[in-house]
C-alpha cells in the first residue's frame, strides 16, 4: 500500500534502469492539433480512444513519467522530446511543471528538452520560456507560402503560413534555438532549391526533410476506423501486387532528385554553415560510425512513442493496438524498453531485410529504410522493399565521391568545409544530379 497522499506520486518505490539508452517521443496532448494538415497521419489516432477522451496528460501521470524516464536511462544525459498532435496546446504552465519535475528528479543527470511544434501558437511568453529553459524547438514549415499551404491548413481549411512565420520571427527575436522540419510531399518535391533557399532565408541553419509516404487504406485499416494503411506485416506478407499510395505520397526517384539537388547546392556553398540531417547522417555512415537516425540504423526499437494516457508504443509510426508495449502506470518504463516485444520490433528491421537489400552496395548507408515504408516488392517478387528504394539508391550513389572526400578530410583533422575549395578547383569531382 502506498503511503502517499492522494494526488501524490510514490517516490520511494525502486525504479529499474534499462540495459541501454532509449528515446521516447512524448505526446502530452495525444493526437490533438489546432491545424488540419491534409497529409497528417496522426490526427486520425483520435479514433483509437473513446469519444469522451480528455487528451491532456494528467499531473500524476506526468510526474510518474518524468521520474521513471530519468531513472531508467543508463547514461548521464537524458533527452525529452515533446510532440503531438500539437504539444503547445498543453499550455506554458504545463511545461513549467515539466521543468520543475525534471529538476526534482534529475539526481545529477543532464536534462535536455526538444519540442516539435507547428509554430502557430508561439507568442512572447512561450518564447521567453523556451529560450530561458534551453529548449530546442523544431518548427514545421514546408516551404514558401504556396507550397506550405498546399497541405498545412487550419481547421477551416485556411492558410497557416502567416501564423507559422510569425512564430519563427518571435523565436528569432527571443533567441530560441530552433530548427525546421519540412515534410516533402508530391506538392513540393519538384522544387528543392526553392524550398532550401527559403528555409535558409527565414533563419534556419538546421534542416530536417521528412519524406511523406503513406499507403492507401486497406481492409484491416477500415476495421479500425483508420483512413491510412496499416504498417507492413512482415510475418504475413501479401501476395505480389502494386501497392496504392495516397495522392500526397512522394515519388521515390523524385525524392532522390530532391536530396541530390539540395546536396549539390550545400556541398559547394554551405558546408559548415547549414546543417541538413540527411547529409550529417550520411557522413557518419561513410566514416563507419554506428547509429545516426533510426531510419538508417541497422535495427530500431529504441525510439518509442508515449501517448497522453501512459500507453507506450514501439514507434511513433506504429501507434496501433498490436504494437502497444504496455502502460507506464502498470509496468516500469525500463522493463517495457527492454521487453521481448520491443527487441523483436527493433531486430525485425534487420532480420526482415529482403535479399535484394542485403546484397545492395549502399546497404551500409540505408539499411533498408524505415520499416513503415517497406510495402513494395523486389524485382524477384519478395515483399519488404522500401517505397523509397530507387530514390535512396540514386542519392547515395550521387553523394559517394563528395562523402569520400569529406571523410578523408575528417580523418586528417581538417574541417569538412574544406571540400568547397576542393570542388571549386576540381568541379568534375561532383557528379551531376
Amino acid at each position: 500500500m502506498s503511503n502517499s497522499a492522494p494526488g501524490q506520486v510514490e517516490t520511494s518505490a525502486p525504479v529499474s534502469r534499462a540495459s541501454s539508452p532509449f528515446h521516447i517521443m512524448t505526446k502530452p496532448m495525444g493526437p490533438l492539433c489546432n491545424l488540419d494538415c491534409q497529409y497528417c497521419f496522426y490526427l486520425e489516432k483520435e479514433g483509437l480512444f473513446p469519444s469522451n477522451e480528455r487528451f491532456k496528460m494528467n499531473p500524476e501521470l506526468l510526474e510518474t513519467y518524468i521520474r521513471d524516464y530519468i531513472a531508467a536511462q543508463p547514461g548521464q544525459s537524458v533527452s525529452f522530446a515533446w510532440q503531438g498532435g500539437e504539444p503547445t496546446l498543453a499550455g506554458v504552465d504545463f511545461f513549467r511543471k515539466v521543468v520543475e519535475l525534471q529538476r526534482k528528479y534529475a539526481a545529477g543527470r543532464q536534462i535536455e528538452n526538444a519540442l516539435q511544434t507547428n509554430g502557430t501558437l508561439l507568442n512572447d511568453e512561450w518564447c521567453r520560456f523556451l529560450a530561458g529553459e534551453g529548449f530546442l524547438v523544431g518548427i514545421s514549415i514546408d516551404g514558401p507560402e504556396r507550397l506550405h499551404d498546399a497541405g498545412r491548413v487550419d481547421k477551416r481549411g485556411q492558410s497557416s503560413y502567416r501564423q507559422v512565420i510569425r512564430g519563427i520571427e518571435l523565436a528569432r527575436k527571443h533567441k530560441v534555438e530552433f530548427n525546421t522540419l519540412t515534410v516533402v510531399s508530391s506538392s513540393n518535391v519538384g522544387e528543392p532549391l526553392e524550398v532550401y533557399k527559403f528555409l535558409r532565408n527565414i533563419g534556419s541553419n538546421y534542416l530536417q526533410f521528412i519524406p511523406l509516404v503513406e499507403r492507401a487504406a486497406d481492409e484491416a485499416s477500415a476495421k479500425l476506423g483508420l483512413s491510412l494503411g496499416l504498417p507492413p506485416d512482415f510475418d504475413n506478407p501479401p501476395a505480389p501486387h502494386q501497392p496504392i499510395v495516397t495522392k500526397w505520397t512522394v515519388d521515390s526517384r523524385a525524392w532522390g532528385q530532391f536530396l541530390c539537388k539540395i546536396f549539390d547546392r550545400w556541398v559547394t556553398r554551405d558546408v559548415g554553415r547549414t546543417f541538413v540531417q540527411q547529409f550529417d547522417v550520411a557522413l557518419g555512415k561513410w566514416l563507419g560510425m554506428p547509429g545516426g537516425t533510426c531510419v538508417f540504423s541497422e535495427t530500431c526499437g529504441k525510439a518509442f512513442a508515449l501517448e497522453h494516457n501512459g500507453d507506450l508504443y514501439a514507434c511513433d509510426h506504429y501507434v496501433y493496438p498490436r504494437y502497444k508495449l504496455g502502460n507506464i502506470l502498470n509496468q516500469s518504463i525500463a522493463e517495457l524498453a527492454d521487453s521481448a516485444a520491443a527487441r523483436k520490433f527493433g531486430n525485425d528491421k534487420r532480420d526482415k531485410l529482403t535479399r535484394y537489400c542485403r546484397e545492395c552496395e549502399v546497404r551500409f548507408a540505408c539499411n533498408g529504410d524505415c520499416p513503415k515504408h517497406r510495402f513494395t516488392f523486389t524485382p524477384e517478387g519478395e515483399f519488404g522493399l522500401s517505397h523509397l528504394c530507387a530514390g535512396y539508391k540514386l542519392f547515395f550513389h550521387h553523394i559517394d565521391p563528395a562523402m569520400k572526400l569529406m571523410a578523408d578530410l575528417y580523418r586528417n583533422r581538417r574541417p569538412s568545409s574544406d571540400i568547397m575549395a576542393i570542388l571549386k578547383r576540381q568541379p568534375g569531382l561532383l557528379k551531376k544530379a
Side-chain angles (χ1 to χ4, degrees):
M1 179 181 294
S2 170
N3 294 320
S4 299
Q8 291 184 334
V9 174
E10 176 63 62
T11 59
S12 59
V15 179
S16 57
R17 184 165 293 187
S19 60
S20 60
F22 63 97
H23 184 69
I24 292 181
M25 188 180 293
T26 316
K27 299 176 180 291
M29 293 297 296
L32 291 192
C33 188
N34 62 316
L35 296 187
D36 197 15
C37 300
Q38 294 180 6
Y39 55 66
C40 182
F41 73 95
Y42 213 82
L43 286 175
E44 66 175 16
K45 301 301 182 186
E46 289 186 42
L48 296 177
F49 302 96
S51 58
N52 62 345
E53 182 79 5
R54 291 188 61 196
F55 283 100
K56 187 173 182 178
M57 186 178 286
N58 69 54
E60 293 75 28
L61 175 58
L62 178 65
E63 184 161 2
T64 298
Y65 168 54
I66 289 176
R67 179 198 68 191
D68 291 1
Y69 182 59
I70 293 173
Q73 292 294 340
Q76 279 299 110
S77 179
V78 182
S79 297
F80 286 84
W82 307 93
Q83 296 209 6
E86 176 49 46
T88 58
L89 287 171
V92 181
D93 286 341
F94 177 90
F95 284 94
R96 289 193 176 104
K97 186 65 176 177
V98 164
V99 172
E100 176 188 324
L101 290 169
Q102 288 171 341
R103 288 175 178 147
K104 176 179 178 180
Y105 293 111
R109 308 281 189 93
Q110 178 183 345
I111 307 295
E112 300 172 345
N113 283 288
L115 182 140
Q116 184 64 43
T117 175
N118 60 42
T120 61
L121 300 179
L122 295 181
N123 54 27
D124 286 310
E125 181 185 17
W126 261 113
C127 290
R128 281 193 294 268
F129 167 78
L130 294 168
E133 297 297 343
F135 275 59
L136 172 62
V137 178
I139 300 179
S140 299
I141 187 165
D142 290 352
E145 188 168 5
R146 66 183 179 85
L147 297 179
H148 176 86
D149 285 340
R152 300 188 65 82
V153 294
D154 64 19
K155 297 296 185 183
R156 299 172 299 163
Q158 302 297 308
S159 169
S160 67
Y161 176 81
R162 295 295 174 188
Q163 297 97 299
V164 179
I165 291 296
R166 181 185 57 82
I168 289 173
E169 290 171 347
L170 284 169
R172 295 181 67 179
K173 169 187 170 184
H174 290 280
K175 295 181 170 54
V176 175
E177 185 179 357
F178 78 95
N179 58 37
T180 50
L181 186 153
T182 299
V183 174
V184 181
S185 69
S186 57
S187 298
N188 59 0
V189 70
E191 307 200 45
L193 294 184
E194 183 174 358
V195 171
Y196 178 71
K197 292 173 187 177
F198 167 81
L199 295 173
R200 293 198 69 243
N201 287 340
I202 63 172
S204 178
N205 295 317
Y206 297 87
L207 283 57
Q208 297 182 61
F209 295 110
I210 308 297
L212 180 58
V213 177
E214 294 289 357
R215 287 189 303 163
D218 53 24
E219 185 178 347
S221 304
K223 288 179 180 178
L224 286 174
L226 302 173
S227 63
L228 300 181
L230 287 165
D233 184 354
F234 298 105
D235 295 323
N236 298 285
H241 67 286
Q242 182 62 42
I244 301 173
V245 296
T246 57
K247 65 181 180 180
W248 47 80
T249 289
V250 69
D251 173 78
S252 181
R253 288 192 64 83
W255 166 240
Q257 288 283 359
F258 179 92
L259 292 176
C260 288
K261 294 288 187 183
I262 292 176
F263 181 83
D264 289 352
R265 168 84 179 200
W266 172 82
V267 79
T268 54
R269 303 189 188 191
D270 298 328
V271 180
R273 295 189 299 167
T274 302
F275 300 87
V276 180
Q277 186 183 59
Q278 278 89 354
F279 307 162
D280 290 345
V281 172
L283 180 56
K285 296 294 184 181
W286 260 258
L287 285 165
M289 295 179 177
T293 60
C294 59
V295 171
F296 298 132
S297 295
E298 185 178 30
T299 61
C300 53
K302 289 294 184 179
F304 308 109
L306 180 70
E307 262 293 344
H308 65 290
N309 64 351
D311 288 343
L312 191 70
Y313 291 86
C315 171
D316 178 48
H317 289 284
Y318 285 76
V319 178
Y320 296 94
R322 70 172 290 193
Y323 298 104
K324 177 181 167 182
L325 300 174
N327 189 289
I328 67 169
L329 292 176
N330 303 323
Q331 195 171 356
S332 80
I333 293 176
E335 289 173 339
L336 293 172
D338 283 342
S339 66
R343 289 198 305 273
K344 181 182 185 304
F345 179 85
N347 290 336
D348 276 353
K349 184 177 192 289
R350 175 197 61 216
D351 299 341
K352 303 291 185 180
L353 268 183
T354 65
R355 178 178 177 180
Y356 186 78
C357 290
R358 294 195 303 271
E359 296 176 353
C360 178
E361 62 275 12
V362 294
R363 177 191 170 180
F364 76 96
C366 174
N367 280 306
D369 189 25
C370 177
K372 178 183 86 78
H373 298 158
R374 296 182 189 175
F375 53 80
T376 64
F377 296 82
T378 69
E380 295 75 30
E382 185 179 0
F383 178 70
L385 186 69
S386 169
H387 168 80
L388 297 175
C389 175
Y392 278 128
K393 273 194 168 184
L394 174 68
F395 171 61
F396 289 126
H397 281 295
H398 177 74
I399 68 175
D400 179 64
M403 282 295 159
K404 286 176 177 174
L405 271 175
M406 285 196 284
D408 284 342
L409 289 170
Y410 178 88
R411 294 187 186 101
N412 287 294
R413 299 187 179 183
R414 292 174 58 188
S416 56
S417 57
D418 281 1
I419 192 173
M420 294 185 289
I422 295 172
L423 292 176
K424 190 173 182 179
R425 294 193 303 268
Q426 304 178 65
L429 294 175
L430 187 64
K431 291 183 178 181
K432 295 296 181 184

